[in-house]
Amino acid sequence: MDEVFKALADPTRRNLLDELFREDGQTLSMLEERFSMSRFGVMKHLRQLEEAGLVVTRRRGREKLHFLNPVPIRLIHDRWVSKYSEPWVAGLSEIKERLEKEMEKVYEIFIKTTPERLWEAIVDPEIRAKYNFGAAVNSDWMVGSPISVDVAKHDVHLGEGEVLEVDPPRRLVHTMECLWDDDVRAEGSTRVTWEIREVGDSCHLTLTHDQLREGANSQIFGGWPMILSGLKTWLESGELLTTPGSLMYA
């Protein structure tokens, strides 16, 4: 967390995050045009944001794209902010954080656990419900099999999809179609990729949500930081988050 606070302490780095919040997946050249400093200066600030886990990069052909990773900020919120906040404050924050233009979202998080235990937490419906707003994700996790997202005790069907790739405990790819209201239902099917890489006694989890239309409703991807924060909290401590969003269907 010290690296995150240090990175956020600089106004230029905060402005870089704001710029990626406005338009994700930008190249260094695109970001350089928006700041009155040298290319090297922008690179230096981006490097510090990467080291803090606040920015994630992806190669696409010859281009290196930079994506905002809000998970570390979500962890700070869950640890130091949410316990002092009333539910209505969180609701106002969610409205403010809605994005207008998104094609792809990339999230990264380090969790002190084994790949096998992390994989189980992703595919086991009872465990998944602990950090997934109370919703279980049901499937036999075979390629071509259906996925159903449900809250059984409230008889709520939130979404569905299809398994595209399975390589336990390293990679899982599936489609996702949100169904909880007409607005998200209109967005159609998108794709979610889970990638697990073992690093020492921990796992590096990368979640990529793509095939989003430009201007897609942020409800279909805005919950990932809270979900991943809850996943990390449960695996490392056995405790459940009590933020308002986490208790949505509890």
Coordinates of all heavy atoms in Angstrom, one line a residue, residues 102-184:
E102 N -15.5 3.0 -23.1 CA -14.7 1.9 -22.7 C -14.8 0.8 -23.8 O -15.9 0.5 -24.2 CB -15.2 1.3 -21.3 CG -15.1 2.3 -20.2 CD -13.6 2.7 -19.9 OE1 -12.7 1.9 -20.3 OE2 -13.4 3.7 -19.3
M103 N -13.7 0.3 -24.2 CA -13.7 -0.8 -25.1 C -13.1 -2.1 -24.4 O -13.5 -3.2 -24.7 CB -12.8 -0.5 -26.3 CG -13.4 0.6 -27.1 SD -15.0 0.3 -27.8 CE -14.6 -1.0 -29.0
E104 N -12.2 -1.8 -23.4 CA -11.6 -3.0 -22.7 C -11.2 -2.5 -21.4 O -10.7 -1.4 -21.2 CB -10.3 -3.4 -23.5 CG -9.6 -4.5 -22.9 CD -8.4 -4.9 -23.8 OE1 -7.9 -4.1 -24.5 OE2 -7.9 -6.1 -23.7
K105 N -11.3 -3.3 -20.4 CA -10.9 -3.0 -19.0 C -10.0 -4.1 -18.5 O -10.2 -5.3 -18.7 CB -12.1 -2.9 -18.1 CG -13.0 -1.8 -18.4 CD -12.4 -0.4 -18.3 CE -12.0 -0.1 -16.8 NZ -11.4 1.3 -16.8
V106 N -8.8 -3.7 -17.9 CA -7.9 -4.7 -17.4 C -7.6 -4.4 -16.0 O -7.3 -3.2 -15.6 CB -6.5 -4.6 -18.2 CG1 -5.5 -5.6 -17.7 CG2 -6.8 -4.7 -19.7
Y107 N -7.7 -5.4 -15.1 CA -7.5 -5.3 -13.7 C -6.4 -6.3 -13.3 O -6.4 -7.4 -13.7 CB -8.8 -5.6 -12.9 CG -10.0 -4.8 -13.4 CD1 -10.8 -5.3 -14.4 CD2 -10.3 -3.6 -12.9 CE1 -11.9 -4.6 -14.8 CE2 -11.4 -2.8 -13.3 CZ -12.2 -3.3 -14.3 OH -13.3 -2.6 -14.7
E108 N -5.6 -5.9 -12.3 CA -4.5 -6.8 -11.8 C -4.6 -6.7 -10.3 O -4.8 -5.7 -9.7 CB -3.1 -6.3 -12.3 CG -2.9 -6.6 -13.7 CD -1.4 -6.4 -14.1 OE1 -0.7 -5.7 -13.3 OE2 -1.0 -6.9 -15.2
I109 N -4.2 -7.8 -9.7 CA -4.2 -7.9 -8.2 C -3.3 -9.0 -7.8 O -3.2 -10.1 -8.5 CB -5.6 -8.0 -7.6 CG1 -5.5 -7.8 -6.1 CG2 -6.2 -9.4 -8.0 CD1 -6.9 -7.7 -5.5
F110 N -2.5 -8.9 -6.7 CA -1.7 -9.9 -6.2 C -2.4 -10.5 -4.9 O -2.9 -9.7 -4.1 CB -0.3 -9.4 -5.8 CG 0.6 -9.2 -6.9 CD1 0.6 -8.0 -7.6 CD2 1.5 -10.2 -7.4 CE1 1.4 -7.8 -8.7 CE2 2.3 -10.0 -8.4 CZ 2.3 -8.8 -9.1
I111 N -2.5 -11.8 -4.8 CA -3.2 -12.4 -3.7 C -2.3 -13.5 -3.1 O -1.7 -14.3 -3.9 CB -4.5 -13.1 -4.2 CG1 -5.4 -12.1 -4.9 CG2 -5.2 -13.7 -3.0 CD1 -6.7 -12.6 -5.5
K112 N -2.1 -13.5 -1.9 CA -1.3 -14.5 -1.2 C -2.0 -15.8 -1.1 O -2.8 -16.0 -0.1 CB -0.8 -14.0 0.2 CG 0.3 -14.9 0.8 CD 0.9 -14.3 2.0 CE 2.1 -15.1 2.5 NZ 2.7 -14.5 3.7
T113 N -1.9 -16.7 -2.0 CA -2.6 -18.0 -2.1 C -1.9 -18.8 -3.2 O -1.0 -18.4 -3.8 CB -4.1 -17.8 -2.4 OG1 -4.8 -19.0 -2.2 CG2 -4.3 -17.3 -3.8
T114 N -2.4 -20.0 -3.3 CA -1.9 -20.9 -4.4 C -2.8 -20.8 -5.6 O -4.0 -20.4 -5.5 CB -1.9 -22.4 -3.9 OG1 -3.2 -22.8 -3.7 CG2 -1.1 -22.5 -2.6
P115 N -2.2 -21.1 -6.8 CA -3.1 -21.1 -8.0 C -4.3 -22.0 -7.9 O -5.4 -21.6 -8.4 CB -2.1 -21.6 -9.1 CG -0.8 -21.2 -8.6 CD -0.8 -21.4 -7.1
E116 N -4.1 -23.2 -7.3 CA -5.2 -24.1 -7.1 C -6.4 -23.5 -6.3 O -7.5 -23.7 -6.6 CB -4.7 -25.4 -6.6 CG -3.8 -26.2 -7.5 CD -2.4 -25.7 -7.5 OE1 -2.0 -24.8 -6.7 OE2 -1.6 -26.0 -8.5
R117 N -6.0 -22.9 -5.2 CA -7.0 -22.3 -4.3 C -7.7 -21.1 -4.9 O -8.9 -20.9 -4.8 CB -6.3 -21.9 -3.0 CG -7.3 -21.5 -1.9 CD -6.7 -21.6 -0.5 NE -7.7 -21.2 0.5 CZ -7.6 -20.0 1.1 NH1 -6.7 -19.2 0.9 NH2 -8.5 -19.7 2.1
L118 N -6.9 -20.3 -5.7 CA -7.5 -19.2 -6.4 C -8.5 -19.7 -7.4 O -9.6 -19.1 -7.6 CB -6.4 -18.3 -7.0 CG -6.8 -17.1 -7.8 CD1 -7.8 -16.3 -7.0 CD2 -5.6 -16.3 -8.2
W119 N -8.1 -20.7 -8.2 CA -8.9 -21.2 -9.2 C -10.2 -21.7 -8.6 O -11.3 -21.5 -9.1 CB -8.2 -22.4 -9.9 CG -9.0 -23.0 -11.0 CD1 -9.9 -24.1 -10.9 CD2 -9.1 -22.6 -12.4 NE1 -10.5 -24.4 -12.1 CE2 -10.0 -23.5 -13.1 CE3 -8.4 -21.6 -13.2 CZ2 -10.3 -23.4 -14.4 CZ3 -8.7 -21.5 -14.5 CH2 -9.6 -22.4 -15.1
E120 N -10.1 -22.5 -7.5 CA -11.3 -23.0 -6.8 C -12.3 -21.8 -6.4 O -13.5 -21.9 -6.6 CB -10.9 -23.8 -5.6 CG -12.1 -24.4 -4.8 CD -11.8 -25.0 -3.5 OE1 -10.7 -24.7 -3.0 OE2 -12.6 -25.8 -3.0
A121 N -11.7 -20.7 -5.9 CA -12.5 -19.6 -5.5 C -13.2 -18.9 -6.6 O -14.3 -18.3 -6.5 CB -11.6 -18.6 -4.8
I122 N -12.7 -19.1 -7.8 CA -13.3 -18.5 -9.0 C -14.4 -19.3 -9.6 O -15.5 -18.8 -9.9 CB -12.2 -18.2 -10.1 CG1 -11.2 -17.2 -9.7 CG2 -12.9 -17.8 -11.4 CD1 -10.0 -17.1 -10.6
V123 N -14.2 -20.7 -9.5 CA -15.2 -21.6 -10.2 C -16.2 -22.2 -9.2 O -17.2 -22.7 -9.7 CB -14.5 -22.7 -11.0 CG1 -13.6 -22.0 -12.1 CG2 -13.7 -23.6 -10.1
D124 N -15.9 -22.2 -7.9 CA -16.8 -22.8 -7.0 C -18.0 -21.8 -6.7 O -17.7 -20.7 -6.2 CB -16.1 -23.2 -5.7 CG -17.0 -23.9 -4.7 OD1 -17.8 -23.3 -4.1 OD2 -16.8 -25.1 -4.6
P125 N -19.2 -22.2 -7.0 CA -20.3 -21.3 -6.8 C -20.5 -20.8 -5.4 O -20.9 -19.6 -5.1 CB -21.5 -22.0 -7.3 CG -21.2 -23.5 -7.3 CD -19.7 -23.5 -7.5
E126 N -20.3 -21.7 -4.4 CA -20.5 -21.2 -3.0 C -19.5 -20.2 -2.6 O -19.8 -19.3 -1.9 CB -20.5 -22.5 -2.1 CG -21.7 -23.4 -2.2 CD -21.8 -24.5 -1.2 OE1 -21.0 -24.4 -0.2 OE2 -22.6 -25.4 -1.4
I127 N -18.2 -20.5 -2.9 CA -17.2 -19.5 -2.6 C -17.4 -18.2 -3.4 O -17.2 -17.1 -2.8 CB -15.8 -20.1 -2.9 CG1 -15.5 -21.4 -2.1 CG2 -14.7 -19.1 -2.7 CD1 -14.2 -22.1 -2.4
R128 N -17.7 -18.3 -4.7 CA -17.9 -17.2 -5.5 C -18.9 -16.2 -4.9 O -18.7 -15.0 -4.9 CB -18.3 -17.6 -6.9 CG -18.4 -16.5 -7.9 CD -17.0 -16.0 -8.4 NE -17.2 -15.0 -9.5 CZ -17.1 -15.4 -10.8 NH1 -16.8 -16.7 -11.1 NH2 -17.2 -14.5 -11.7
A129 N -20.0 -16.8 -4.4 CA -21.0 -15.9 -3.8 C -20.6 -15.1 -2.6 O -21.1 -14.1 -2.3 CB -22.2 -16.8 -3.4
K130 N -19.5 -15.5 -2.0 CA -19.0 -14.8 -0.8 C -18.5 -13.4 -1.1 O -18.5 -12.5 -0.3 CB -17.9 -15.7 -0.1 CG -18.4 -17.0 0.5 CD -17.3 -17.7 1.2 CE -17.7 -19.1 1.7 NZ -18.7 -19.0 2.8
Y131 N -17.9 -13.3 -2.3 CA -17.3 -12.0 -2.7 C -17.9 -11.4 -4.0 O -17.5 -10.4 -4.5 CB -15.8 -12.2 -2.9 CG -15.4 -13.1 -4.0 CD1 -15.3 -12.7 -5.3 CD2 -15.1 -14.5 -3.7 CE1 -14.9 -13.6 -6.3 CE2 -14.8 -15.4 -4.7 CZ -14.7 -14.9 -6.0 OH -14.3 -15.8 -7.0
N132 N -18.9 -12.1 -4.5 CA -19.5 -11.7 -5.8 C -20.9 -11.1 -5.6 O -21.9 -11.5 -6.3 CB -19.6 -12.9 -6.8 CG -19.8 -12.5 -8.2 OD1 -19.0 -11.8 -8.8 ND2 -20.8 -13.0 -8.8
F133 N -21.1 -10.2 -4.6 CA -22.4 -9.5 -4.3 C -23.4 -10.6 -3.9 O -24.6 -10.3 -4.0 CB -22.9 -8.8 -5.5 CG -21.9 -7.8 -6.1 CD1 -21.5 -7.9 -7.4 CD2 -21.5 -6.7 -5.3 CE1 -20.6 -7.0 -8.0 CE2 -20.6 -5.8 -5.9 CZ -20.1 -5.9 -7.2
G134 N -23.0 -11.7 -3.4 CA -23.9 -12.8 -3.0 C -24.4 -13.6 -4.1 O -25.2 -14.5 -3.9
A135 N -23.9 -13.4 -5.3 CA -24.3 -14.2 -6.5 C -23.4 -15.3 -6.8 O -22.2 -15.2 -6.9 CB -24.4 -13.3 -7.7
A136 N -23.9 -16.5 -7.0 CA -23.2 -17.7 -7.3 C -23.0 -17.8 -8.9 O -24.0 -17.4 -9.6 CB -23.8 -19.0 -6.8
V137 N -21.9 -18.3 -9.3 CA -21.7 -18.5 -10.8 C -21.7 -20.0 -11.0 O -20.7 -20.7 -10.6 CB -20.4 -17.8 -11.3 CG1 -20.3 -18.0 -12.8 CG2 -20.5 -16.3 -11.0
N138 N -22.7 -20.5 -11.6 CA -22.8 -22.0 -11.8 C -22.5 -22.4 -13.2 O -23.0 -21.9 -14.2 CB -24.3 -22.4 -11.5 CG -24.7 -22.0 -10.1 OD1 -24.3 -22.7 -9.1 ND2 -25.5 -21.0 -9.9
S139 N -21.6 -23.5 -13.3 CA -21.2 -24.1 -14.5 C -20.5 -25.4 -14.2 O -19.9 -25.5 -13.1 CB -20.4 -23.1 -15.4 OG -20.0 -23.8 -16.6
D140 N -20.4 -26.3 -15.2 CA -19.5 -27.4 -15.0 C -18.1 -27.1 -15.6 O -17.2 -27.9 -15.6 CB -20.0 -28.7 -15.7 CG -20.2 -28.5 -17.2 OD1 -19.6 -27.6 -17.8 OD2 -20.8 -29.4 -17.9
W141 N -17.9 -25.8 -16.1 CA -16.6 -25.3 -16.6 C -16.0 -26.2 -17.6 O -14.7 -26.3 -17.6 CB -15.7 -25.0 -15.4 CG -16.3 -24.1 -14.4 CD1 -16.8 -24.4 -13.1 CD2 -16.7 -22.7 -14.6 NE1 -17.3 -23.3 -12.5 CE2 -17.3 -22.2 -13.4 CE3 -16.5 -21.8 -15.7 CZ2 -17.7 -20.9 -13.3 CZ3 -16.9 -20.5 -15.5 CH2 -17.5 -20.0 -14.3
M142 N -16.7 -26.7 -18.5 CA -16.2 -27.3 -19.7 C -16.4 -26.4 -20.9 O -17.4 -25.7 -21.0 CB -17.0 -28.7 -19.9 CG -16.9 -29.6 -18.8 SD -15.2 -30.3 -18.5 CE -15.1 -31.4 -19.9
V143 N -15.5 -26.5 -21.9 CA -15.7 -25.6 -23.1 C -17.0 -25.9 -23.7 O -17.4 -27.0 -24.0 CB -14.5 -25.9 -24.1 CG1 -14.8 -25.1 -25.4 CG2 -13.2 -25.5 -23.5
G144 N -17.7 -24.8 -24.0 CA -19.0 -24.8 -24.6 C -20.2 -24.9 -23.6 O -21.3 -24.8 -24.0
S145 N -19.9 -25.1 -22.3 CA -20.9 -25.2 -21.3 C -21.5 -23.9 -21.0 O -20.8 -22.8 -21.0 CB -20.4 -25.9 -20.1 OG -20.1 -27.2 -20.3
P146 N -22.8 -23.8 -20.6 CA -23.4 -22.6 -20.2 C -23.0 -22.1 -18.8 O -22.5 -23.0 -17.9 CB -24.9 -22.9 -20.2 CG -25.0 -24.4 -19.9 CD -23.7 -25.0 -20.5
I147 N -23.1 -20.8 -18.5 CA -22.8 -20.3 -17.2 C -24.1 -19.5 -16.8 O -24.7 -18.9 -17.6 CB -21.6 -19.2 -17.3 CG1 -20.3 -19.9 -17.7 CG2 -21.5 -18.5 -16.0 CD1 -19.2 -19.0 -17.9
S148 N -24.4 -19.7 -15.5 CA -25.6 -19.0 -15.0 C -25.2 -18.3 -13.7 O -24.6 -18.9 -12.8 CB -26.7 -20.0 -14.7 OG -27.9 -19.3 -14.2
V149 N -25.5 -17.0 -13.6 CA -25.2 -16.2 -12.4 C -26.5 -16.0 -11.6 O -27.5 -15.3 -12.2 CB -24.6 -14.8 -12.8 CG1 -24.2 -14.0 -11.5 CG2 -23.4 -15.0 -13.7
D150 N -26.6 -16.5 -10.4 CA -27.9 -16.5 -9.7 C -27.7 -16.2 -8.2 O -26.7 -16.6 -7.6 CB -28.5 -17.9 -9.8 CG -28.7 -18.3 -11.3 OD1 -29.6 -17.8 -11.9 OD2 -28.0 -19.2 -11.8
V151 N -28.8 -15.6 -7.6 CA -28.9 -15.5 -6.2 C -30.1 -16.4 -5.8 O -31.2 -15.9 -5.9 CB -29.1 -14.0 -5.8 CG1 -29.1 -13.9 -4.2 CG2 -28.0 -13.1 -6.3
A152 N -29.8 -17.6 -5.4 CA -30.8 -18.6 -5.1 C -31.8 -18.1 -4.1 O -33.0 -18.3 -4.2 CB -30.2 -19.9 -4.8
K153 N -31.3 -17.6 -3.0 CA -32.2 -17.3 -1.9 C -33.2 -16.1 -2.2 O -34.2 -16.0 -1.5 CB -31.4 -17.0 -0.6 CG -30.7 -15.6 -0.5 CD -30.1 -15.5 0.9 CE -29.5 -14.1 1.0 NZ -28.9 -14.0 2.4
H154 N -32.9 -15.3 -3.2 CA -33.8 -14.3 -3.6 C -34.4 -14.6 -5.0 O -35.2 -13.8 -5.5 CB -33.1 -12.9 -3.7 CG -32.5 -12.4 -2.4 ND1 -33.3 -12.3 -1.3 CD2 -31.3 -12.1 -2.0 CE1 -32.6 -11.8 -0.3 NE2 -31.3 -11.7 -0.7
D155 N -34.1 -15.8 -5.5 CA -34.6 -16.2 -6.8 C -34.4 -15.2 -7.9 O -35.3 -14.8 -8.6 CB -36.1 -16.5 -6.7 CG -36.6 -17.3 -7.9 OD1 -35.8 -18.0 -8.5 OD2 -37.8 -17.2 -8.2
V156 N -33.1 -14.7 -7.9 CA -32.7 -13.7 -8.9 C -31.7 -14.2 -9.9 O -30.7 -14.9 -9.5 CB -32.1 -12.5 -8.2 CG1 -31.6 -11.4 -9.2 CG2 -33.1 -11.8 -7.2
H157 N -32.0 -14.1 -11.2 CA -31.1 -14.5 -12.2 C -30.4 -13.2 -12.8 O -31.1 -12.4 -13.4 CB -31.9 -15.2 -13.3 CG -31.1 -15.7 -14.5 ND1 -30.0 -16.5 -14.3 CD2 -31.2 -15.5 -15.8 CE1 -29.4 -16.8 -15.5 NE2 -30.2 -16.2 -16.4
L158 N -29.1 -13.1 -12.6 CA -28.4 -11.9 -12.9 C -27.7 -11.9 -14.3 O -27.4 -10.8 -14.8 CB -27.4 -11.5 -11.8 CG -28.0 -11.2 -10.4 CD1 -26.8 -11.0 -9.5 CD2 -28.8 -10.0 -10.5
G159 N -27.4 -13.1 -14.7 CA -26.6 -13.1 -16.0 C -26.4 -14.6 -16.4 O -26.7 -15.5 -15.8
E160 N -25.8 -14.6 -17.6 CA -25.5 -15.9 -18.2 C -24.3 -15.8 -19.2 O -24.0 -14.7 -19.6 CB -26.7 -16.6 -18.8 CG -27.4 -15.8 -19.9 CD -28.8 -16.3 -20.2 OE1 -29.5 -16.8 -19.3 OE2 -29.1 -16.1 -21.4
G161 N -23.8 -16.9 -19.6 CA -22.7 -16.9 -20.6 C -22.3 -18.3 -21.1 O -23.0 -19.2 -20.8
E162 N -21.1 -18.3 -21.7 CA -20.7 -19.6 -22.2 C -19.2 -19.7 -22.0 O -18.4 -18.7 -22.2 CB -21.0 -19.7 -23.7 CG -20.5 -21.0 -24.4 CD -20.7 -21.0 -25.9 OE1 -21.5 -20.2 -26.3 OE2 -20.0 -21.8 -26.5
V163 N -18.7 -20.9 -21.6 CA -17.3 -21.1 -21.4 C -16.6 -21.3 -22.7 O -17.0 -22.1 -23.6 CB -17.1 -22.4 -20.5 CG1 -15.6 -22.6 -20.3 CG2 -17.8 -22.3 -19.2
L164 N -15.5 -20.5 -22.9 CA -14.8 -20.5 -24.2 C -13.4 -21.2 -24.1 O -13.0 -21.9 -25.0 CB -14.5 -19.0 -24.6 CG -15.7 -18.2 -24.9 CD1 -15.3 -16.8 -25.3 CD2 -16.7 -18.8 -25.9
E165 N -12.7 -21.0 -23.0 CA -11.4 -21.7 -22.8 C -11.3 -22.1 -21.3 O -11.7 -21.3 -20.4 CB -10.2 -20.7 -23.1 CG -10.2 -20.3 -24.6 CD -9.0 -19.4 -24.8 OE1 -7.9 -19.6 -24.2 OE2 -9.1 -18.4 -25.5
V166 N -10.7 -23.2 -21.1 CA -10.4 -23.7 -19.7 C -9.0 -24.3 -19.6 O -8.8 -25.3 -20.3 CB -11.5 -24.7 -19.2 CG1 -11.2 -25.1 -17.8 CG2 -12.9 -24.2 -19.4
D167 N -8.2 -23.8 -18.8 CA -6.9 -24.3 -18.6 C -6.5 -24.2 -17.1 O -5.7 -23.3 -16.7 CB -5.8 -23.6 -19.4 CG -4.4 -24.1 -19.3 OD1 -4.3 -25.3 -18.8 OD2 -3.5 -23.4 -19.6
P168 N -7.1 -25.0 -16.2 CA -6.9 -24.9 -14.8 C -5.4 -25.3 -14.4 O -4.9 -26.2 -15.0 CB -7.9 -25.9 -14.2 CG -8.1 -26.9 -15.3 CD -8.0 -26.1 -16.6
P169 N -4.8 -24.6 -13.4 CA -5.4 -23.4 -12.8 C -4.8 -22.1 -13.3 O -4.3 -21.2 -12.5 CB -4.9 -23.6 -11.3 CG -3.6 -24.2 -11.5 CD -3.6 -25.0 -12.7
R170 N -4.7 -21.9 -14.6 CA -4.0 -20.8 -15.2 C -4.9 -19.8 -15.9 O -4.7 -18.6 -15.9 CB -2.9 -21.3 -16.1 CG -1.7 -22.0 -15.4 CD -0.7 -22.4 -16.4 NE -1.2 -23.6 -17.2 CZ -1.1 -24.8 -16.8 NH1 -0.5 -25.1 -15.7 NH2 -1.5 -25.8 -17.6
R171 N -5.9 -20.3 -16.7 CA -6.6 -19.4 -17.6 C -8.1 -19.9 -17.8 O -8.3 -21.1 -18.0 CB -5.9 -19.4 -19.0 CG -6.6 -18.5 -20.0 CD -5.7 -18.5 -21.3 NE -6.4 -17.9 -22.4 CZ -6.3 -16.6 -22.7 NH1 -5.6 -15.8 -21.9 NH2 -6.9 -16.1 -23.8
L172 N -9.0 -18.9 -17.7 CA -10.4 -19.2 -17.9 C -11.0 -18.0 -18.7 O -10.8 -16.9 -18.4 CB -11.1 -19.3 -16.6 CG -12.6 -19.4 -16.6 CD1 -13.1 -20.7 -17.3 CD2 -13.2 -19.3 -15.2
V173 N -11.6 -18.4 -19.8 CA -12.3 -17.4 -20.7 C -13.7 -17.7 -20.8 O -14.1 -18.9 -21.1 CB -11.6 -17.3 -22.0 CG1 -12.2 -16.1 -22.9 CG2 -10.1 -17.1 -21.9
H174 N -14.6 -16.7 -20.7 CA -16.0 -17.0 -20.9 C -16.7 -15.7 -21.3 O -16.2 -14.6 -21.1 CB -16.7 -17.5 -19.6 CG -16.6 -16.6 -18.4 ND1 -17.5 -15.6 -18.2 CD2 -15.7 -16.5 -17.4 CE1 -17.2 -14.9 -17.1 NE2 -16.1 -15.5 -16.6
T175 N -17.9 -15.9 -21.9 CA -18.7 -14.7 -22.3 C -19.5 -14.4 -21.1 O -19.7 -15.1 -20.1 CB -19.6 -15.0 -23.5 OG1 -20.5 -16.1 -23.1 CG2 -18.8 -15.4 -24.7
M176 N -20.1 -13.1 -21.1 CA -21.0 -12.7 -20.0 C -22.1 -11.8 -20.6 O -21.8 -10.9 -21.3 CB -20.2 -12.0 -18.9 CG -21.0 -11.6 -17.7 SD -20.1 -10.9 -16.4 CE -19.8 -9.2 -17.0
E177 N -23.3 -12.1 -20.2 CA -24.4 -11.3 -20.6 C -25.2 -10.9 -19.4 O -25.7 -11.8 -18.7 CB -25.3 -12.0 -21.6 CG -26.5 -11.2 -22.1 CD -27.3 -11.9 -23.2 OE1 -26.9 -13.0 -23.6 OE2 -28.3 -11.3 -23.6
C178 N -25.2 -9.6 -19.0 CA -25.9 -9.2 -17.8 C -27.4 -9.0 -18.1 O -27.8 -8.5 -19.1 CB -25.3 -7.8 -17.4 SG -23.5 -7.9 -17.0
L179 N -28.2 -9.4 -17.1 CA -29.6 -9.5 -17.3 C -30.4 -8.8 -16.2 O -31.7 -9.0 -16.1 CB -30.1 -10.9 -17.4 CG -29.4 -11.8 -18.5 CD1 -29.8 -13.2 -18.4 CD2 -29.8 -11.2 -19.9
W180 N -29.8 -8.1 -15.3 CA -30.6 -7.6 -14.1 C -31.5 -6.4 -14.4 O -32.4 -6.1 -13.6 CB -29.7 -7.3 -12.9 CG -28.6 -6.2 -13.2 CD1 -28.7 -4.9 -13.2 CD2 -27.2 -6.5 -13.5 NE1 -27.5 -4.3 -13.5 CE2 -26.6 -5.3 -13.6 CE3 -26.5 -7.7 -13.6 CZ2 -25.2 -5.2 -13.9 CZ3 -25.1 -7.6 -13.8 CH2 -24.5 -6.4 -14.0
D181 N -31.3 -5.7 -15.5 CA -32.3 -4.8 -16.0 C -32.2 -4.6 -17.5 O -31.3 -5.1 -18.1 CB -32.2 -3.4 -15.2 CG -30.9 -2.7 -15.4 OD1 -30.4 -2.7 -16.6 OD2 -30.5 -2.0 -14.5
D182 N -33.2 -3.8 -18.0 CA -33.2 -3.6 -19.5 C -32.0 -2.9 -20.0 O -31.6 -3.2 -21.1 CB -34.5 -2.9 -19.9 CG -35.8 -3.7 -19.6 OD1 -35.7 -4.9 -19.5 OD2 -36.9 -3.1 -19.5
D183 N -31.5 -2.0 -19.3 CA -30.3 -1.2 -19.8 C -29.1 -2.1 -20.0 O -28.4 -2.0 -21.0 CB -30.0 -0.1 -18.8 CG -31.0 1.0 -18.8 OD1 -31.7 1.1 -19.8 OD2 -31.1 1.8 -17.8
V184 N -28.8 -2.9 -19.0 CA -27.6 -3.8 -19.2 C -27.9 -4.9 -20.1 O -27.0 -5.4 -20.8 CB -27.1 -4.3 -17.8 CG1 -26.7 -3.2 -16.9 CG2 -28.2 -5.2 -17.1

